[in-house]
Amino acid sequence: MRISYRADGTPVPVYEPGDFVRLLHDDPGPLPMAFAGEWDCVLRNRGVEGLDIRLAGHSRPRTSDLPDVTGVPARLVLPCDRAGLSLGLQRDLRRVARA
């Protein structure tokens, strides 16, 4: 995972294949395919089209009928470790908030 920073020092993760992420909210579609609290690794980052995430193996059984979800907006996930615990990203304290 790469981390970029906004002008005020707020960290913005840029997800790459293999990064572990946890869903913050349910899938926003009319028929939710992923639910808040599920986690696993990113398969592909399609930019504005969202993330492809493999959920089978950690938060779902490996033999799940729906092992992957596609097009999940990056704003709906947070970085986590292999156990699904959220990782805190530190602000860049060298950048000063401009009011």
Side-chain angles (χ1 to χ4, degrees):
M1 170 181 22
R2 292 178 291 134
I3 302 172
S4 62
Y5 294 92
R6 295 186 180 137
D8 66 350
T10 304
V12 179
V14 179
Y15 299 106
E16 298 173 333
D19 291 340
F20 283 88
V21 294
R22 174 186 277 289
L23 274 75
L24 292 173
H25 303 285
D26 293 351
D27 188 15
L31 181 64
M33 302 294 178
F35 301 97
E38 292 187 302
W39 84 96
D40 211 327
C41 65
V42 174
L43 295 175
R44 183 170 65 167
N45 185 344
R46 298 187 292 159
V48 296
E49 294 179 11
L51 304 170
D52 295 347
I53 304 171
R54 159 90 18 108
L55 295 174
H58 282 88
S59 60
R60 293 185 183 174
R62 290 192 186 278
T63 58
S64 173
D65 291 337
L66 190 66
D68 303 335
V69 290
T70 58
V72 177
R75 63 183 162 76
L76 296 183
V77 300
L78 281 178
C80 70
D81 63 7
R82 289 182 179 271
L85 300 174
S86 296
L87 299 175
L89 300 178
Q90 184 175 345
R91 295 176 52 91
D92 186 354
L93 300 176
R94 295 175 293 180
R95 298 178 188 236
V96 181
R98 301 185 194 265

Coordinates of all heavy atoms in Angstrom, one line a residue:
M1 N 0.8 -1.2 0.0 CA 0.0 0.0 0.0 C 0.9 1.2 0.0 O 1.9 1.3 0.7 CB -0.9 0.0 1.3 CG -1.6 1.3 1.5 SD -2.7 1.4 2.9 CE -2.1 0.2 4.0
R2 N 0.5 2.2 -0.8 CA 1.2 3.5 -0.8 C 0.3 4.4 -0.1 O -0.9 4.3 0.0 CB 1.4 3.9 -2.2 CG 2.4 3.1 -3.0 CD 2.6 3.5 -4.4 NE 1.3 3.2 -5.2 CZ 0.7 4.1 -6.0 NH1 1.2 5.3 -6.2 NH2 -0.4 3.8 -6.6
I3 N 0.9 5.4 0.5 CA 0.1 6.4 1.2 C 0.5 7.8 0.7 O 1.6 8.2 0.7 CB 0.4 6.4 2.8 CG1 0.1 5.0 3.3 CG2 -0.4 7.4 3.5 CD1 0.5 4.8 4.7
S4 N -0.6 8.5 0.3 CA -0.3 9.9 -0.1 C -1.0 10.8 0.9 O -1.8 10.3 1.8 CB -0.9 10.2 -1.5 OG -2.3 10.0 -1.5
Y5 N -0.7 12.1 0.9 CA -1.2 13.0 1.9 C -1.9 14.2 1.2 O -1.4 14.7 0.2 CB -0.1 13.4 2.8 CG 0.5 12.3 3.7 CD1 1.6 11.6 3.2 CD2 -0.1 12.0 4.9 CE1 2.1 10.6 4.0 CE2 0.5 11.0 5.6 CZ 1.5 10.3 5.2 OH 2.0 9.3 5.9
R6 N -3.0 14.6 1.8 CA -3.6 15.8 1.4 C -2.8 17.0 1.9 O -1.9 16.8 2.7 CB -5.1 15.9 1.9 CG -5.9 14.8 1.4 CD -7.4 15.0 1.8 NE -8.2 13.9 1.2 CZ -9.1 13.2 1.9 NH1 -9.4 13.5 3.1 NH2 -9.8 12.3 1.3
A7 N -3.2 18.2 1.5 CA -2.5 19.4 1.9 C -2.5 19.6 3.4 O -1.5 20.1 4.0 CB -3.1 20.6 1.2
D8 N -3.6 19.1 4.1 CA -3.6 19.3 5.6 C -2.9 18.2 6.3 O -3.0 18.1 7.6 CB -5.1 19.5 6.0 CG -5.9 18.2 5.8 OD1 -5.4 17.3 5.1 OD2 -7.0 18.2 6.3
G9 N -2.3 17.2 5.6 CA -1.6 16.1 6.3 C -2.4 14.9 6.5 O -1.9 13.9 7.1
T10 N -3.7 14.9 6.1 CA -4.5 13.7 6.2 C -4.1 12.6 5.3 O -3.9 12.8 4.1 CB -6.0 14.0 5.8 OG1 -6.4 15.1 6.7 CG2 -6.9 12.8 6.1
P11 N -3.8 11.4 5.8 CA -3.3 10.3 5.0 C -4.4 9.7 4.1 O -5.6 9.6 4.5 CB -2.9 9.2 6.0 CG -3.7 9.5 7.2 CD -4.0 11.0 7.2
V12 N -4.1 9.4 2.9 CA -5.0 8.8 1.9 C -4.3 7.5 1.4 O -3.3 7.6 0.6 CB -5.3 9.7 0.7 CG1 -6.2 9.1 -0.3 CG2 -5.9 11.0 1.3
P13 N -4.8 6.3 1.7 CA -4.2 5.1 1.2 C -4.5 4.9 -0.2 O -5.6 5.1 -0.7 CB -4.8 4.0 2.1 CG -6.1 4.6 2.6 CD -5.9 6.1 2.7
V14 N -3.5 4.4 -0.9 CA -3.6 4.0 -2.3 C -3.4 2.5 -2.4 O -2.3 2.0 -2.2 CB -2.6 4.7 -3.3 CG1 -2.8 4.3 -4.7 CG2 -2.8 6.2 -3.1
Y15 N -4.5 1.7 -2.5 CA -4.5 0.3 -2.4 C -3.9 -0.4 -3.6 O -4.1 0.0 -4.8 CB -5.9 -0.2 -2.2 CG -6.5 0.3 -0.9 CD1 -7.5 1.3 -1.0 CD2 -6.0 -0.1 0.3 CE1 -8.0 1.8 0.2 CE2 -6.6 0.4 1.5 CZ -7.6 1.3 1.4 OH -8.1 1.8 2.6
E16 N -3.1 -1.4 -3.4 CA -2.5 -2.2 -4.4 C -2.9 -3.7 -4.2 O -3.3 -4.1 -3.1 CB -1.0 -2.1 -4.3 CG -0.5 -0.7 -4.5 CD 1.0 -0.5 -4.2 OE1 1.6 -1.3 -3.4 OE2 1.6 0.4 -4.8
P17 N -2.7 -4.5 -5.2 CA -3.1 -6.0 -5.1 C -2.3 -6.6 -3.9 O -1.1 -6.3 -3.7 CB -2.6 -6.6 -6.4 CG -2.7 -5.4 -7.4 CD -2.4 -4.2 -6.6
G18 N -3.0 -7.3 -3.1 CA -2.4 -8.0 -1.9 C -2.6 -7.3 -0.6 O -2.4 -7.8 0.4
D19 N -3.0 -6.0 -0.7 CA -3.3 -5.3 0.6 C -4.6 -5.8 1.2 O -5.5 -6.1 0.6 CB -3.5 -3.8 0.3 CG -2.2 -3.1 -0.2 OD1 -1.1 -3.6 0.1 OD2 -2.4 -2.0 -0.8
F20 N -4.5 -5.9 2.5 CA -5.7 -6.3 3.3 C -6.6 -5.1 3.6 O -6.0 -4.1 4.0 CB -5.3 -7.0 4.6 CG -4.8 -8.4 4.3 CD1 -3.5 -8.7 4.0 CD2 -5.7 -9.5 4.3 CE1 -3.1 -10.0 3.8 CE2 -5.3 -10.8 4.1 CZ -4.0 -11.0 3.8
V21 N -7.9 -5.2 3.4 CA -8.8 -4.2 3.7 C -10.0 -4.7 4.4 O -10.4 -5.9 4.3 CB -9.3 -3.4 2.4 CG1 -8.1 -2.7 1.7 CG2 -9.9 -4.4 1.4
R22 N -10.7 -3.8 5.2 CA -11.9 -4.2 5.9 C -13.0 -3.2 5.5 O -12.8 -2.0 5.3 CB -11.7 -4.0 7.4 CG -13.0 -4.2 8.2 CD -12.7 -3.9 9.7 NE -12.2 -5.0 10.5 CZ -12.8 -6.1 10.8 NH1 -14.0 -6.2 10.4 NH2 -12.3 -7.0 11.5
L23 N -14.2 -3.7 5.2 CA -15.3 -2.9 4.7 C -15.9 -2.1 5.9 O -16.2 -2.7 7.0 CB -16.4 -3.8 4.1 CG -16.2 -4.0 2.6 CD1 -15.1 -5.1 2.4 CD2 -17.5 -4.5 2.0
L24 N -16.1 -0.8 5.7 CA -16.7 0.0 6.7 C -18.2 0.0 6.7 O -18.9 0.1 7.7 CB -16.3 1.5 6.5 CG -14.8 1.8 6.8 CD1 -14.5 3.2 6.4 CD2 -14.5 1.6 8.3
H25 N -18.8 -0.1 5.5 CA -20.2 -0.1 5.2 C -20.6 -1.2 4.3 O -19.8 -1.7 3.5 CB -20.6 1.3 4.6 CG -20.2 2.5 5.4 ND1 -20.9 2.8 6.6 CD2 -19.2 3.4 5.3 CE1 -20.3 3.9 7.1 NE2 -19.3 4.2 6.3
D26 N -21.9 -1.5 4.3 CA -22.4 -2.5 3.3 C -22.2 -2.0 1.9 O -22.2 -0.8 1.6 CB -23.9 -2.8 3.6 CG -24.1 -3.5 4.9 OD1 -23.1 -3.9 5.5 OD2 -25.3 -3.6 5.3
D27 N -22.2 -3.0 0.9 CA -22.1 -2.7 -0.5 C -23.3 -1.8 -0.8 O -24.4 -2.1 -0.5 CB -22.1 -4.0 -1.3 CG -21.9 -3.8 -2.7 OD1 -21.4 -2.7 -3.1 OD2 -22.2 -4.8 -3.5
P28 N -23.0 -0.6 -1.5 CA -24.1 0.3 -1.8 C -25.1 -0.1 -2.8 O -26.1 0.6 -3.1 CB -23.4 1.6 -2.2 CG -22.1 1.1 -2.8 CD -21.8 -0.1 -2.0
G29 N -25.0 -1.2 -3.5 CA -25.8 -1.6 -4.6 C -27.2 -2.0 -4.1 O -27.5 -2.1 -2.9
P30 N -28.2 -2.2 -5.0 CA -29.5 -2.6 -4.7 C -29.6 -3.9 -4.0 O -30.5 -4.2 -3.2 CB -30.3 -2.6 -6.0 CG -29.3 -2.7 -7.0 CD -28.0 -2.1 -6.5
L31 N -28.6 -4.8 -4.3 CA -28.5 -6.1 -3.7 C -27.1 -6.3 -3.1 O -26.2 -6.6 -3.8 CB -28.8 -7.2 -4.7 CG -28.7 -8.7 -4.2 CD1 -29.8 -8.9 -3.2 CD2 -28.9 -9.6 -5.4
P32 N -27.0 -6.0 -1.8 CA -25.6 -6.0 -1.2 C -24.9 -7.3 -1.4 O -25.5 -8.4 -1.1 CB -25.9 -5.7 0.3 CG -27.2 -5.1 0.3 CD -28.0 -5.7 -0.8
M33 N -23.7 -7.3 -1.8 CA -22.9 -8.5 -2.0 C -21.8 -8.6 -0.9 O -21.2 -9.6 -0.7 CB -22.2 -8.4 -3.4 CG -23.1 -8.4 -4.5 SD -24.1 -9.9 -4.6 CE -25.1 -9.5 -6.0
A34 N -21.5 -7.4 -0.3 CA -20.5 -7.4 0.8 C -21.1 -6.6 2.0 O -21.8 -5.7 1.7 CB -19.2 -6.8 0.3
F35 N -20.7 -7.0 3.2 CA -21.2 -6.3 4.4 C -20.1 -5.7 5.2 O -19.0 -6.2 5.2 CB -22.1 -7.3 5.1 CG -23.2 -7.9 4.3 CD1 -23.0 -9.1 3.7 CD2 -24.4 -7.2 4.1 CE1 -24.1 -9.6 2.9 CE2 -25.4 -7.7 3.4 CZ -25.2 -8.9 2.7
A36 N -20.5 -4.7 6.0 CA -19.6 -4.1 6.9 C -18.9 -5.1 7.8 O -19.6 -6.0 8.3 CB -20.3 -3.0 7.7
G37 N -17.6 -5.0 8.0 CA -16.9 -5.9 8.9 C -16.2 -7.0 8.2 O -15.3 -7.6 8.7
E38 N -16.5 -7.3 6.9 CA -15.8 -8.4 6.2 C -14.5 -7.8 5.7 O -14.3 -6.6 5.5 CB -16.6 -8.8 4.9 CG -17.9 -9.5 5.3 CD -18.6 -10.1 4.1 OE1 -18.9 -9.3 3.2 OE2 -18.8 -11.3 4.0
W39 N -13.5 -8.7 5.6 CA -12.2 -8.3 5.2 C -11.5 -9.4 4.4 O -11.8 -10.5 4.5 CB -11.3 -7.9 6.4 CG -10.6 -9.1 7.1 CD1 -9.4 -9.5 6.9 CD2 -11.2 -10.0 8.0 NE1 -9.1 -10.6 7.6 CE2 -10.2 -10.9 8.4 CE3 -12.4 -10.1 8.6 CZ2 -10.4 -11.9 9.3 CZ3 -12.6 -11.1 9.5 CH2 -11.6 -12.0 9.9
D40 N -10.5 -9.0 3.6 CA -9.6 -9.8 2.9 C -8.7 -9.0 2.0 O -8.6 -7.8 2.3 CB -10.3 -10.9 2.1 CG -9.4 -12.2 2.0 OD1 -8.2 -12.1 2.0 OD2 -10.0 -13.3 2.0
C41 N -8.2 -9.5 1.0 CA -7.2 -8.8 0.2 C -7.7 -8.2 -1.1 O -8.6 -8.7 -1.7 CB -5.9 -9.6 -0.1 SG -6.2 -11.0 -1.1
V42 N -7.1 -7.2 -1.6 CA -7.4 -6.5 -2.8 C -6.8 -7.3 -4.0 O -5.7 -7.7 -3.9 CB -6.8 -5.1 -2.8 CG1 -7.0 -4.4 -4.2 CG2 -7.4 -4.2 -1.7
L43 N -7.7 -7.6 -4.9 CA -7.2 -8.3 -6.2 C -6.8 -7.3 -7.2 O -5.8 -7.5 -7.9 CB -8.4 -9.1 -6.7 CG -8.9 -10.3 -5.9 CD1 -10.0 -11.0 -6.6 CD2 -7.7 -11.3 -5.7
R44 N -7.5 -6.2 -7.3 CA -7.2 -5.2 -8.3 C -7.8 -3.9 -7.9 O -8.8 -3.8 -7.4 CB -7.8 -5.6 -9.7 CG -7.4 -4.8 -10.8 CD -7.8 -5.4 -12.1 NE -9.3 -5.5 -12.2 CZ -9.9 -5.7 -13.3 NH1 -9.3 -5.9 -14.5 NH2 -11.2 -5.8 -13.3
N45 N -7.0 -2.8 -8.2 CA -7.5 -1.4 -8.0 C -7.8 -0.9 -9.4 O -6.9 -0.7 -10.2 CB -6.4 -0.6 -7.3 CG -6.9 0.8 -7.0 OD1 -7.9 1.3 -7.5 ND2 -6.2 1.5 -6.1
R46 N -9.1 -0.6 -9.6 CA -9.5 -0.1 -11.0 C -9.7 1.4 -10.9 O -10.5 1.9 -11.7 CB -10.8 -0.8 -11.4 CG -10.5 -2.3 -11.6 CD -11.7 -3.0 -12.2 NE -12.9 -3.0 -11.3 CZ -14.1 -3.2 -11.6 NH1 -14.4 -3.4 -12.9 NH2 -15.1 -3.2 -10.8
G47 N -9.1 2.1 -10.0 CA -9.2 3.6 -10.0 C -10.6 4.0 -9.6 O -11.1 3.6 -8.6
V48 N -11.2 4.9 -10.4 CA -12.5 5.4 -10.1 C -13.6 4.3 -10.1 O -14.7 4.5 -9.6 CB -12.9 6.6 -11.0 CG1 -11.9 7.7 -10.8 CG2 -12.9 6.2 -12.4
E49 N -13.3 3.2 -10.8 CA -14.3 2.1 -10.9 C -14.3 1.3 -9.6 O -15.1 0.4 -9.5 CB -14.0 1.2 -12.1 CG -14.2 1.9 -13.4 CD -13.9 1.1 -14.6 OE1 -13.7 -0.2 -14.4 OE2 -13.8 1.6 -15.7
G50 N -13.4 1.5 -8.7 CA -13.4 0.8 -7.4 C -12.4 -0.3 -7.3 O -11.5 -0.5 -8.1
L51 N -12.5 -1.1 -6.2 CA -11.6 -2.2 -5.9 C -12.2 -3.5 -6.1 O -13.4 -3.7 -5.8 CB -11.1 -2.1 -4.4 CG -10.5 -0.8 -3.9 CD1 -10.4 -0.8 -2.4 CD2 -9.1 -0.6 -4.6
D52 N -11.5 -4.5 -6.6 CA -11.9 -5.9 -6.6 C -11.3 -6.5 -5.4 O -10.1 -6.5 -5.2 CB -11.5 -6.5 -7.9 CG -12.1 -5.9 -9.1 OD1 -13.1 -5.2 -9.0 OD2 -11.7 -6.3 -10.2
I53 N -12.1 -7.1 -4.5 CA -11.7 -7.7 -3.3 C -12.1 -9.2 -3.2 O -13.2 -9.5 -3.5 CB -12.3 -6.9 -2.1 CG1 -12.0 -5.4 -2.2 CG2 -11.8 -7.5 -0.8 CD1 -12.7 -4.6 -1.2
R54 N -11.1 -10.0 -2.8 CA -11.4 -11.4 -2.5 C -11.8 -11.6 -1.1 O -11.0 -11.3 -0.2 CB -10.1 -12.2 -2.8 CG -10.0 -13.6 -2.2 CD -10.6 -14.8 -2.9 NE -10.8 -14.7 -4.3 CZ -10.1 -15.3 -5.3 NH1 -9.1 -16.0 -5.0 NH2 -10.5 -15.2 -6.5
L55 N -13.0 -12.0 -0.8 CA -13.5 -12.2 0.6 C -13.4 -13.6 1.0 O -13.4 -13.9 2.2 CB -14.9 -11.6 0.7 CG -15.0 -10.1 0.5 CD1 -16.5 -9.7 0.6 CD2 -14.2 -9.4 1.6
A56 N -13.4 -14.6 0.1 CA -13.3 -16.0 0.5 C -11.9 -16.3 1.0 O -10.9 -16.0 0.4 CB -13.6 -16.8 -0.7
G57 N -11.9 -16.9 2.2 CA -10.6 -17.4 2.8 C -10.4 -16.8 4.1 O -9.7 -17.3 5.0
H58 N -10.9 -15.6 4.4 CA -10.8 -14.9 5.7 C -12.1 -14.7 6.3 O -12.5 -15.4 7.3 CB -10.0 -13.6 5.6 CG -8.5 -13.9 5.5 ND1 -7.9 -14.0 4.3 CD2 -7.5 -14.0 6.4 CE1 -6.6 -14.2 4.4 NE2 -6.3 -14.2 5.7
S59 N -12.9 -13.8 5.8 CA -14.2 -13.5 6.5 C -15.3 -14.4 5.9 O -16.4 -14.4 6.4 CB -14.5 -12.0 6.3 OG -14.6 -11.6 5.0
R60 N -15.0 -15.1 4.8 CA -16.0 -16.0 4.3 C -15.3 -17.4 4.0 O -14.1 -17.4 3.9 CB -16.5 -15.6 2.9 CG -17.4 -14.3 3.0 CD -17.9 -14.0 1.6 NE -18.7 -12.7 1.7 CZ -19.2 -12.1 0.6 NH1 -19.0 -12.7 -0.6 NH2 -19.9 -11.0 0.8
P61 N -16.0 -18.5 4.0 CA -15.4 -19.8 3.7 C -14.8 -19.8 2.3 O -15.3 -19.1 1.4 CB -16.5 -20.8 3.8 CG -17.7 -20.1 4.5 CD -17.5 -18.6 4.3
R62 N -13.7 -20.5 2.1 CA -13.1 -20.6 0.8 C -14.1 -21.2 -0.3 O -13.9 -20.9 -1.4 CB -11.9 -21.5 0.9 CG -10.7 -20.9 1.6 CD -9.5 -21.8 1.4 NE -8.4 -21.3 2.3 CZ -7.6 -20.2 2.0 NH1 -7.8 -19.6 0.9 NH2 -6.7 -19.9 2.8
T63 N -15.1 -21.9 0.1 CA -16.0 -22.5 -0.8 C -17.3 -21.6 -1.0 O -18.3 -22.1 -1.4 CB -16.4 -23.9 -0.4 OG1 -17.0 -23.8 0.9 CG2 -15.2 -24.8 -0.4
S64 N -17.2 -20.4 -0.6 CA -18.3 -19.5 -0.7 C -18.8 -19.4 -2.1 O -18.1 -19.4 -3.1 CB -17.9 -18.1 -0.2 OG -18.9 -17.1 -0.4
D65 N -20.2 -19.2 -2.3 CA -20.8 -19.0 -3.6 C -20.3 -17.7 -4.2 O -20.3 -17.6 -5.4 CB -22.3 -19.0 -3.5 CG -22.8 -20.4 -3.1 OD1 -22.1 -21.4 -3.4 OD2 -23.9 -20.5 -2.6
L66 N -20.0 -16.7 -3.4 CA -19.6 -15.4 -3.9 C -18.3 -15.0 -3.3 O -18.2 -14.3 -2.3 CB -20.7 -14.3 -3.5 CG -20.5 -13.0 -4.2 CD1 -20.8 -13.1 -5.7 CD2 -21.6 -12.0 -3.6
P67 N -17.2 -15.5 -3.9 CA -15.9 -15.3 -3.3 C -15.3 -13.9 -3.4 O -14.5 -13.5 -2.6 CB -15.0 -16.4 -4.0 CG -15.6 -16.6 -5.3 CD -17.1 -16.4 -5.1
D68 N -15.7 -13.2 -4.5 CA -15.1 -11.9 -4.8 C -16.2 -10.9 -4.9 O -17.3 -11.2 -5.3 CB -14.4 -11.9 -6.1 CG -13.3 -13.0 -6.2 OD1 -12.8 -13.4 -5.2 OD2 -12.9 -13.4 -7.3
V69 N -15.9 -9.6 -4.6 CA -16.8 -8.5 -4.9 C -16.0 -7.5 -5.8 O -14.8 -7.4 -5.6 CB -17.3 -7.8 -3.6 CG1 -18.3 -8.7 -2.9 CG2 -16.2 -7.4 -2.7
T70 N -16.7 -6.9 -6.7 CA -16.0 -6.0 -7.6 C -16.6 -4.6 -7.5 O -17.8 -4.4 -7.2 CB -16.1 -6.5 -9.1 OG1 -17.5 -6.6 -9.4 CG2 -15.5 -7.9 -9.3
G71 N -15.8 -3.6 -7.8 CA -16.2 -2.3 -7.9 C -16.6 -1.6 -6.6 O -17.4 -0.7 -6.5
V72 N -15.9 -2.1 -5.5 CA -16.2 -1.5 -4.2 C -15.4 -0.1 -4.1 O -14.2 -0.1 -4.3 CB -15.7 -2.4 -3.0 CG1 -15.9 -1.8 -1.7 CG2 -16.4 -3.7 -3.1
P73 N -16.1 1.0 -3.9 CA -15.4 2.3 -3.8 C -14.4 2.2 -2.6 O -14.6 1.7 -1.6 CB -16.6 3.3 -3.5 CG -17.8 2.6 -3.9 CD -17.6 1.1 -3.7
A74 N -13.3 2.8 -2.9 CA -12.2 2.9 -1.9 C -12.6 3.6 -0.6 O -12.0 3.3 0.4 CB -10.9 3.5 -2.5
R75 N -13.6 4.5 -0.7 CA -14.0 5.2 0.5 C -14.7 4.3 1.5 O -15.0 4.7 2.6 CB -14.8 6.4 0.1 CG -16.1 6.1 -0.6 CD -16.9 7.3 -1.0 NE -17.9 7.0 -2.0 CZ -19.0 6.4 -1.8 NH1 -19.3 6.0 -0.5 NH2 -19.9 6.1 -2.7
L76 N -15.1 3.1 1.0 CA -15.9 2.2 1.9 C -15.0 1.2 2.6 O -15.5 0.3 3.4 CB -16.9 1.4 1.1 CG -18.0 2.2 0.5 CD1 -19.0 1.3 -0.3 CD2 -18.8 3.0 1.5
V77 N -13.7 1.3 2.4 CA -12.7 0.3 3.1 C -11.7 1.1 3.9 O -11.4 2.2 3.6 CB -12.1 -0.6 2.1 CG1 -13.2 -1.4 1.4 CG2 -11.2 0.1 1.1
L78 N -11.1 0.4 4.8 CA -9.9 0.8 5.6 C -8.8 -0.2 5.5 O -9.2 -1.4 5.5 CB -10.3 1.0 7.1 CG -11.0 2.3 7.4 CD1 -11.3 2.3 8.9 CD2 -10.2 3.5 7.1
P79 N -7.6 0.1 5.6 CA -6.5 -0.9 5.6 C -6.6 -1.7 6.9 O -7.0 -1.1 8.0 CB -5.2 -0.1 5.5 CG -5.6 1.3 5.9 CD -7.0 1.5 5.6
C80 N -6.3 -2.9 6.9 CA -6.2 -3.8 8.1 C -5.1 -4.8 7.9 O -4.4 -4.9 6.9 CB -7.6 -4.5 8.3 SG -8.0 -5.7 7.1
D81 N -4.9 -5.6 9.0 CA -3.9 -6.6 9.0 C -4.5 -8.0 8.6 O -5.7 -8.0 8.3 CB -3.1 -6.7 10.3 CG -4.0 -7.1 11.5 OD1 -5.2 -7.4 11.2 OD2 -3.5 -7.0 12.6
R82 N -3.7 -9.0 8.6 CA -4.2 -10.4 8.2 C -5.4 -10.9 9.2 O -6.1 -11.7 8.8 CB -3.1 -11.4 8.2 CG -2.1 -11.2 7.1 CD -1.1 -12.3 7.2 NE -0.2 -12.1 6.1 CZ -0.3 -12.7 4.9 NH1 -1.4 -13.4 4.6 NH2 0.6 -12.5 3.9
A83 N -5.4 -10.3 10.4 CA -6.5 -10.8 11.3 C -7.7 -9.9 11.2 O -8.7 -10.1 11.9 CB -5.9 -10.7 12.7
G84 N -7.7 -8.9 10.3 CA -8.8 -8.0 10.2 C -8.9 -6.8 11.1 O -9.9 -6.1 11.1
L85 N -7.8 -6.6 11.8 CA -7.7 -5.4 12.7 C -7.3 -4.2 12.0 O -6.3 -4.2 11.2 CB -6.8 -5.7 13.9 CG -7.1 -6.9 14.8 CD1 -6.0 -7.2 15.8 CD2 -8.4 -6.7 15.5
S86 N -8.0 -3.1 12.2 CA -7.7 -1.9 11.4 C -6.4 -1.3 11.8 O -5.9 -1.4 12.9 CB -8.8 -0.8 11.8 OG -10.0 -1.2 11.4
L87 N -5.7 -0.8 10.7 CA -4.4 -0.1 10.9 C -4.6 1.4 11.0 O -5.3 1.9 10.1 CB -3.5 -0.5 9.7 CG -3.2 -1.9 9.5 CD1 -2.3 -2.1 8.2 CD2 -2.4 -2.5 10.7
G88 N -4.1 2.0 11.9 CA -4.2 3.4 12.1 C -3.1 4.1 11.2 O -1.9 3.7 11.3
L89 N -3.5 5.0 10.4 CA -2.6 5.8 9.6 C -2.3 7.1 10.2 O -3.2 7.8 10.6 CB -3.1 6.0 8.2 CG -3.4 4.7 7.4 CD1 -4.0 5.1 6.0 CD2 -2.2 3.9 7.2
Q90 N -1.0 7.5 10.4 CA -0.7 8.7 11.1 C -0.7 9.9 10.1 O -0.3 9.8 8.9 CB 0.7 8.6 11.7 CG 1.1 9.8 12.5 CD 2.4 9.6 13.2 OE1 2.9 8.5 13.3 NE2 3.0 10.7 13.7
R91 N -1.1 11.0 10.6 CA -1.1 12.3 9.8 C 0.4 12.7 9.6 O 1.3 12.3 10.3 CB -1.8 13.4 10.6 CG -3.2 13.2 10.8 CD -3.8 14.3 11.6 NE -3.5 15.7 11.1 CZ -4.2 16.3 10.2 NH1 -5.3 15.8 9.8 NH2 -3.9 17.5 9.8
D92 N 0.6 13.4 8.5 CA 1.9 13.9 8.2 C 2.0 15.3 9.0 O 1.4 16.3 8.6 CB 2.1 14.2 6.7 CG 3.5 14.6 6.4 OD1 4.3 14.9 7.3 OD2 3.8 14.7 5.2
L93 N 2.7 15.3 10.1 CA 2.7 16.4 11.0 C 3.5 17.6 10.4 O 3.5 18.7 10.9 CB 3.3 16.0 12.4 CG 2.4 15.0 13.1 CD1 3.1 14.6 14.4 CD2 1.0 15.4 13.3
R94 N 4.3 17.3 9.3 CA 5.1 18.4 8.7 C 4.2 19.3 7.9 O 4.5 20.4 7.6 CB 6.2 17.8 7.8 CG 7.2 17.1 8.6 CD 8.2 16.4 7.7 NE 7.5 15.3 7.0 CZ 8.0 14.5 6.1 NH1 9.3 14.6 5.8 NH2 7.3 13.6 5.6
R95 N 3.0 18.8 7.5 CA 2.1 19.6 6.7 C 1.2 20.3 7.7 O 0.6 19.8 8.6 CB 1.3 18.7 5.8 CG 2.2 18.0 4.8 CD 1.3 17.1 3.9 NE 2.2 16.3 3.1 CZ 2.2 16.3 1.8 NH1 1.3 17.0 1.1 NH2 3.0 15.5 1.1
V96 N 1.0 21.6 7.4 CA 0.2 22.5 8.3 C -1.1 22.7 7.7 O -1.2 23.0 6.5 CB 0.9 23.8 8.6 CG1 0.1 24.7 9.5 CG2 2.3 23.5 9.1
A97 N -2.2 22.6 8.5 CA -3.5 22.9 8.0 C -3.6 24.4 7.7 O -3.2 25.2 8.6 CB -4.6 22.5 9.0
R98 N -4.1 24.7 6.5 CA -4.2 26.1 6.2 C -5.6 26.6 6.3 O -6.5 26.0 5.7 CB -3.7 26.3 4.7 CG -2.3 25.9 4.6 CD -1.8 26.2 3.2 NE -0.6 25.5 2.9 CZ 0.7 26.0 3.1 NH1 0.8 27.2 3.5 NH2 1.7 25.3 2.8
A99 N -5.8 27.6 7.1 CA -7.2 28.0 7.3 C -7.5 29.3 6.5 O -6.8 29.9 6.0 CB -7.4 28.3 8.8

